[in-house]
Amino acid sequence: MSQQPQDKLNKKQKSSNSDSAGQTPTPSLSKQMSTRDFINNQREERLNYHHAQVIQAAAAAALATRFAPVKEKLANGSFEALPLFRDVPSSERQNLFIRKLNLCCYIFDFTDPTKNVKEKEIKRQTLLELVDYVTSGTGKFTEAVFEDISKMLVANLFRTLPPSSHENTGSDNFDPEEEEPTMEPAWPHLQIVYEFLLRYVVSSETDAKLAKRYIDQSFVLRLLDLFDSEDPREREYLKTILHRIYGKFMVHRPFIRKAINNIFYQFIFETEKHNGVAELLEILGSIINGFALPLKEEHKLFLARALIPLHKPKCVSMYHQQLSYCIIQFVEKDFKLADTVIMGLLKYWPVTNSQKEVLFLGELEEVLEATQAAEFQRCMVPLFRQFSRCLNSSHFQVAERALFLWNNDHFVSLVAQNRQVVLPLIFTALERNTRNHWNQAVHGLTLNVRKMFLEMDQEVFQECQRKFLEDEAKAKGLEEKRENTWKRLEAAGTSLTDNSIIKGSSVPSDNTVSSHTGSGVPPQGQVAVVGN
């Protein structure tokens, strides 16, 4: 990255720190925007996303050209171990460090375990020595060393990820929870390179002002691309390293958040396939925890446009725990966002996936724990209509999980304050469960909730029961009326059929018709029937 754009980033960072306090309050997302504003915002988001994709591709190409991996043979045709650091004078260790970095730029093929066994072991031992050297903190790194470090990291880490096993077979029925992940064959070297990068980032000898020229935006983008690796060991290292970079290089913070945002957009609205969503959400959970109050509008938009829509993909169970933690962090930071979150969950509520419904109910309980009365009242009508459908679910786990909400004291207190609205919405569902639900546990829990409402407000309960009986009687009358109408229609249809059969049997023959006139022409008012 050139110096001029970097200076601009520094000025921008000084003028507006995303995590700084003392900012003016921003309006709640719960306020409705006009249709025109909403369309304009959506158009701007799409343009920004595609613009970011173009920049990302250009930056990755520039970085690949700058630090191309060494895949050819060494100049002398040999691959020999260099002296140990302890065997050379301290004045020469910096040069030896650079030589070892250059040696480790050589990339081996790990698909054949019998190939270059000796050379692979030499490189592994050299990488371990580099890790020890960085950890020991023998001296500050010069700018020339930073460039050699970047060259070694790029050569080893940034590569084209292999296709997934289901992509090779062409199968469309891929279930990430069932399939075994593809493990990285070069992990014996990669693990040490990741360890080196981690120690290098957290080292007190690494000057962030100098290092940011090499750990720049293009480096961060290519690091984020690696989160799609199927190997969970690699994603775990990447998670720790990116979090450390976010903490040390403050100038990159807004860019990292935006880049993660773009990954989520692509995952939600285009591919629904990405292996690293859980790890990225885990990093964001820590970042959100550090947000200063009041929350900036940028962060609220991230919640509404990226985090809440992450409930949409079918594979949400793979990262739901981390996603739920991020959502709860937002609500605990600003309780006024609770109704925005609840309405978002209702928008993406699953229709045919019972296990997903159980996850949503668990997350809703955590959100309601942090919800105040005013926010609860704004969303309680659609919320309890959904709860009513869950209570009557034929899948016992969904009905059971919905009934477990009444074990939560804060939830019960919110319901008690608004019982005149809540009970009429779910009374029918409770009555149907007590009469018809097949599962004994659901039946018992329903009776407990029904008893709780009776003790809470007997008058409202009796009014709901009276209305339920009236509606039931009306429904029964309508059903009887409908059945009688169908019986009359069937009787009328049978009568018409019988009449048609009788008329068909009394139709005159050809000879009878011809005898009326002698010329074969029927008299006036009669129709000639042509015989077969």
Side-chain angles (χ1 to χ4, degrees):
M1 180 184 293
S2 62
Q3 182 63 33
Q4 187 177 358
Q6 194 64 46
D7 293 341
K8 289 182 180 179
L9 282 172
N10 291 338
K11 291 177 183 177
K12 184 178 179 182
Q13 181 64 28
K14 290 177 182 177
S15 61
S16 175
N17 190 342
S18 64
D19 301 334
S20 60
Q23 299 171 25
T24 55
T26 52
S28 171
L29 282 177
S30 60
K31 295 182 179 179
Q32 297 293 323
M33 62 174 67
S34 67
T35 305
R36 180 178 298 175
D37 290 340
F38 177 77
I39 294 172
N40 289 336
N41 285 340
Q42 293 295 311
R43 185 182 295 114
E44 183 182 353
E45 280 294 316
R46 286 196 296 270
L47 289 173
N48 289 341
Y49 169 70
H50 290 297
H51 182 62
Q53 292 289 89
V54 173
I55 293 175
Q56 178 176 349
L63 189 63
T65 305
R66 181 180 175 190
F67 299 119
V70 181
K71 291 188 177 180
E72 67 277 1
K73 289 286 185 182
L74 297 179
N76 58 4
S78 63
F79 193 89
E80 297 179 357
L82 295 171
L84 299 175
F85 283 110
R86 65 172 180 265
D87 295 338
V88 298
S90 57
S91 58
E92 297 180 13
R93 288 176 184 172
Q94 191 84 249
N95 291 331
L96 180 60
F97 180 66
I98 293 174
R99 290 174 62 195
K100 287 180 181 288
L101 287 171
N102 291 328
L103 182 73
C104 291
C105 287
Y106 190 88
I107 307 301
F108 291 100
D109 181 11
F110 277 84
T111 56
D112 184 0
T114 63
K115 190 177 179 180
N116 302 120
V117 177
K118 179 183 175 182
E119 289 82 359
K120 288 176 183 176
E121 181 59 23
I122 291 173
K123 180 178 176 180
R124 194 183 73 84
Q125 292 296 335
T126 305
L127 286 169
L128 290 172
E129 291 176 39
L130 292 175
V131 172
D132 291 339
Y133 183 82
V134 172
T135 307
S136 63
T138 54
K140 284 190 175 294
F141 300 123
T142 63
E143 190 165 353
V145 173
F146 282 130
E147 185 163 354
D148 286 310
I149 290 173
S150 297
K151 182 180 178 182
M152 189 276 288
L153 292 172
V154 170
N156 284 276
L157 297 180
F158 300 150
R159 66 211 187 275
T160 302
L161 295 173
S164 303
S165 55
H166 71 281
E167 292 177 0
N168 288 331
T169 59
S171 173
D172 294 330
N173 302 322
F174 173 69
D175 186 353
E177 294 183 349
E178 299 291 336
E179 299 291 332
E180 287 294 326
T182 302
M183 308 305 278
E184 175 57 54
W187 186 246
H189 284 184
L190 273 179
Q191 180 182 10
I192 308 172
V193 176
Y194 276 121
E195 187 66 29
F196 174 86
L197 176 55
L198 178 59
R199 302 291 180 89
Y200 165 62
V201 170
V202 301
S203 174
S204 59
E205 307 302 327
T206 302
D207 187 353
K209 292 181 180 179
L210 289 175
K212 70 184 180 184
R213 299 177 187 175
Y214 301 96
I215 301 181
D216 54 11
Q217 291 185 1
S218 57
F219 186 94
V220 170
L221 280 175
R222 297 192 72 184
L223 207 63
L224 283 167
D225 287 341
L226 295 174
F227 273 87
D228 201 19
S229 170
E230 281 196 46
D231 195 328
R233 302 168 299 179
E234 183 169 12
R235 298 199 305 270
E236 191 67 24
Y237 259 110
L238 286 165
K239 177 186 71 176
T240 307
I241 291 167
L242 186 64
H243 191 220
R244 297 295 187 181
I245 291 175
Y246 187 91
K248 186 157 190 168
F249 299 90
M250 296 180 65
V251 69
H252 292 332
R253 288 184 179 184
F255 178 79
I256 290 173
R257 292 197 302 270
K258 186 70 175 177
I260 294 175
N261 204 358
N262 290 335
I263 291 174
F264 287 163
Y265 282 160
Q266 189 174 24
F267 171 69
I268 297 165
F269 301 112
E270 293 183 15
T271 64
E272 287 198 8
K273 294 177 183 177
H274 197 283
N275 294 307
V277 175
E279 286 79 10
L280 291 171
L281 285 169
E282 199 166 335
I283 296 170
L284 284 171
S286 179
I287 293 173
I288 294 166
N289 191 36
F291 282 165
L293 295 176
L295 290 173
K296 292 180 68 176
E297 190 68 17
E298 169 202 347
H299 304 323
K300 294 182 180 180
L301 289 173
F302 173 69
L303 168 68
R305 295 180 179 178
L307 289 185
I308 292 177
L310 275 172
H311 292 85
K312 175 179 174 283
K314 296 178 182 178
C315 58
V316 65
S317 59
M318 297 291 292
Y319 55 82
H320 184 263
Q321 182 179 355
Q322 293 84 355
L323 175 60
S324 179
Y325 178 78
C326 291
I327 296 288
I328 301 305
Q329 287 289 310
F330 266 106
V331 178
E332 289 179 351
K333 287 275 183 183
D334 186 355
F335 64 85
K336 292 181 180 179
L337 294 171
D339 61 311
T340 301
V341 170
I342 292 172
M343 295 304 293
L345 285 171
L346 295 177
K347 177 182 178 181
Y348 295 106
W349 199 273
V351 178
T352 59
N353 191 331
S354 299
Q355 293 303 321
K356 199 171 170 183
E357 277 194 273
V358 173
L359 293 176
F360 275 45
L361 287 166
E363 184 176 350
L364 263 179
E365 182 175 5
E366 292 188 67
V367 173
L368 288 168
E369 276 275 6
T371 303
Q372 304 299 316
E375 286 69 37
F376 180 78
Q377 289 171 358
R378 283 201 290 268
C379 61
M380 62 182 176
V381 173
L383 176 63
F384 279 88
R385 281 177 180 158
Q386 183 59 56
F387 281 164
S388 176
R389 289 188 283 271
C390 291
L391 291 173
N392 284 148
S393 173
S394 57
H395 196 293
F396 80 96
Q397 289 180 338
V398 176
E400 190 177 55
R401 188 64 188 85
L403 290 163
F404 279 155
L405 290 169
W406 273 266
N407 292 335
N408 187 300
D409 293 336
H410 183 69
F411 176 78
V412 171
S413 68
L414 290 172
V415 170
Q417 294 170 32
N418 302 276
R419 56 189 178 275
Q420 292 86 357
V421 177
V422 169
L423 185 56
L425 292 172
I426 64 169
F427 188 84
T428 300
L430 293 173
E431 287 297 307
R432 287 175 180 168
N433 271 7
T434 56
R435 297 182 183 186
N436 305 319
H437 204 284
W438 65 271
N439 185 270
Q440 195 62 36
V442 171
H443 187 269
L445 289 168
T446 303
L447 290 175
N448 292 339
V449 172
R450 190 175 179 277
K451 181 181 178 182
M452 188 182 297
F453 275 112
L454 179 61
E455 294 172 351
M456 193 181 294
D457 194 325
Q458 188 172 358
E459 184 179 345
V460 174
F461 185 91
Q462 290 176 347
E463 176 62 24
C464 290
Q465 192 171 38
R466 182 189 63 78
K467 189 175 184 304
F468 172 77
L469 294 174
E470 286 180 0
D471 292 342
E472 191 177 41
K474 288 180 182 178
K476 188 175 181 180
L478 289 172
E479 180 65 20
E480 291 177 354
K481 184 177 179 181
R482 188 178 69 86
E483 288 182 0
N484 291 333
T485 302
W486 275 111
K487 287 179 181 178
R488 289 198 301 272
L489 286 171
E490 289 173 358
T494 304
S495 175
L496 286 171
T497 304
D498 293 343
N499 291 337
S500 298
I501 293 172
I502 293 171
K503 288 181 179 179
S505 63
S506 61
V507 172
S509 63
D510 291 347
N511 295 332
T512 307
V513 173
S514 300
S515 65
H516 285 290
T517 60
S519 61
V521 179
Q524 188 176 2
Q526 294 186 8
V527 179
V529 178
V530 180
N532 293 328

